[in-house]
Amino acid sequence: MATILRKIADQILSRRTFSIRAVDRARDAAVDTIGCMIAGREDESVTALTCAFDGEIAQGGKARLITGGSASPSLAALINATAAHALDFDDNFHPARAHASAVLVPALLAVLTSGKVTSGRRFLEAYLAGLEAQAAVGFGVNPSHYNRGWHATATVGSIGAAAGVARLLGAGENGLVAAMSLATSFACGPKGQFGTTAKPLHAGIAARNAVDAARMALAGIGGRPDILERPQGFLDLFGGDDAKSWEGLTFEEEHIIESRGVVTKRHPCCASTHRAIDALLDLKQEHGLLAGDIARIETKVGISAARNLAYPDPTDEMQARFSMQYCLATAFLKGSLSLSDFTRHEIERPEVREFMPRIEMQPYSAEEERGVERLPHIVTITTRGGRIYRKSRLHARGSLEAPLSDYEREAKFTDCLRWGNRDNSGAFYPRLRDLTDFENLADDNAFWNLIADAHPEKQ
């Protein structure tokens, strides 16, 4: 009987063609992630990493760094993926409960080597392979795995991304299975680290693990092909009490990016706040509400979301990204959220601090959540005049059900460039969107100069 990893590998190898829609969505995800990498390249977590490994970086390597220079593929994956996730502006992927692209895109970029032709199209197909693998691994353990406290970006993401990297490197079935099996041994990352610089590091560790696992597998190192489902395997140790395993796992003709999509973030903060932010802004617009009108704002969210948002009174910008009170207060007062709202100065603004105590958050009960994959997040506003307004949202802006417009995507990318001190001249965004037209990403200086060469704006 085929193991789960073999079923995933067989599926990846058997999917030889991709629809235009799947490739376009993969391109959009890759471009969005590159924007997030640029925005995060000067974050304290990335600066600390480059300091920690300055000796290795000075020696250079085969892979380019978003911070400038080059390093080994393993180190480049670590630094670039940490940058992609540093500001929590990168996409979410519900089937894996992971920040899928922040792991996949930097890991795939890290193994592009000079002399080996890798077209933009082939790069995106490897991304789609890794995404499908993440969804399949997540199917058997989530949401129990995530609710138990594991950051699936660092666990499920690592295993799935290893398949994508191995596919890009030309692995067959045994190589794919070995890469995913090894990555299972590397899986780590507790959600208790949310709100600290260790959280973006989880994406970096996952990308590095994916690169290392794939390269080790191709060199002949292997693990058990049944490591997901066997006793003392991934499900047994990481699954949680309500994990369903993979008995019902099936693969549709339509790729998972077509049927479920990735959620492109509209707000640069924890996704657990997004549906409440969207609902609150809807209510503000629909009823013409002003700050002085508000007596109380109540939010009802999932249990895992409430646990993620552990900072009702944040003291720094990282904690603010995981504070429902700060995110809702700032969004209501300003009408939107941008990267500039998450600085030490901004989080201490008196008008925000005055508004935050009016915001309350409560989770659904375990009984309400039992057997339900997804419940809406609900925002209830009580005005000083006693009026009550309520709005629920099952899907955040940026999801397949509520997609961002092309204008909003480009505006986000421009915000990322501005935050990363990058020059936005030369039609940067449309050039990157022509990703499928690049014949060889590894040796195309035009592509790499778009991503990795620093051109700081004049201050």
Side-chain angles (χ1 to χ4, degrees), residues 44 126 164 173:
E44 61 178 315
E173 181 181 315

Side-chain angles (χ1 to χ4, degrees), residues 189-216:
K191 289 200 297 173
Q193 297 282 27
F194 283 14
T196 74
T197 50
K199 203 260 188 177
L201 185 63
H202 287 177
I205 292 169
R208 181 189 64 187
N209 288 346
V211 167
D212 289 347
R215 296 174 78 197
M216 289 177 189

Side-chain angles (χ1 to χ4, degrees), residues 28-269:
D28 288 344
V31 172
D32 183 74
T33 305
I34 289 168
C36 293
M37 287 168 57
I38 293 168
R41 67 184 185 143
E42 295 179 359
D43 185 75
E44 61 178 315
S45 59
V46 180
T47 300
L49 271 183
T50 57
C51 180
F53 295 102
D54 58 349
E56 291 91 332
I57 294 171
Q59 296 173 15
K62 295 180 178 180
R64 300 282 286 273
L65 295 172
I66 194 66
T67 53
S70 60
S72 68
S74 178
L75 185 54
L78 175 68
I79 292 173
N80 291 344
T82 300
H85 194 41
L87 305 175
D88 232 290
F89 211 5
D90 52 298
D91 66 35
N92 289 96
F93 182 50
H94 291 314
R97 291 290 180 103
H99 292 268
S101 300
V103 179
L104 265 169
V105 173
L108 294 170
L109 289 173
V111 297
L112 297 176
T113 55
S114 179
K116 184 172 182 179
V117 176
T118 304
S119 67
R121 171 103 187 178
R122 187 160 176 261
F123 179 89
L124 294 176
E125 289 177 352
Y127 170 90
L128 290 167
L131 194 72
E132 191 162 35
Q134 285 194 39
V137 174
F139 177 89
V141 294
N142 280 320
S144 184
H145 171 74
Y146 185 84
N147 292 342
R148 191 176 194 178
W150 290 107
H151 189 193
T153 299
T155 53
V156 174
S158 177
I159 301 167
V165 174
R167 186 73 180 114
L168 189 62
L169 294 176
E173 181 181 315
N174 289 337
L176 287 168
V177 169
M180 288 186 284
S181 181
L182 290 173
T184 304
S185 289
F186 301 159
C188 59
K191 289 200 297 173
Q193 297 282 27
F194 283 14
T196 74
T197 50
K199 203 260 188 177
L201 185 63
H202 287 177
I205 292 169
R208 181 189 64 187
N209 288 346
V211 167
D212 289 347
R215 296 174 78 197
M216 289 177 189
L218 290 174
I221 300 177
R224 295 193 64 126
D226 62 348
I227 194 60
L228 292 186
E229 68 269 31
R230 77 180 313 276
Q232 299 185 68
F234 189 67
L235 176 66
D236 194 2
L237 299 176
F238 288 76
D241 295 336
D242 299 321
K244 58 188 175 185
S245 86
W246 292 270
E247 290 182 8
L249 176 65
T250 58
F251 297 99
E252 306 298 330
E253 182 177 348
E254 189 177 50
H255 191 277
I256 194 76
I257 205 170
E258 298 176 82
S259 60
R260 297 293 298 274
V262 297
V263 183
T264 306
K265 280 192 170 184
R266 181 68 185 90
H267 316 295
C269 47

Side-chain angles (χ1 to χ4, degrees), residues 4 182 300 331:
I4 303 305
L182 290 173
K300 188 170 185 178

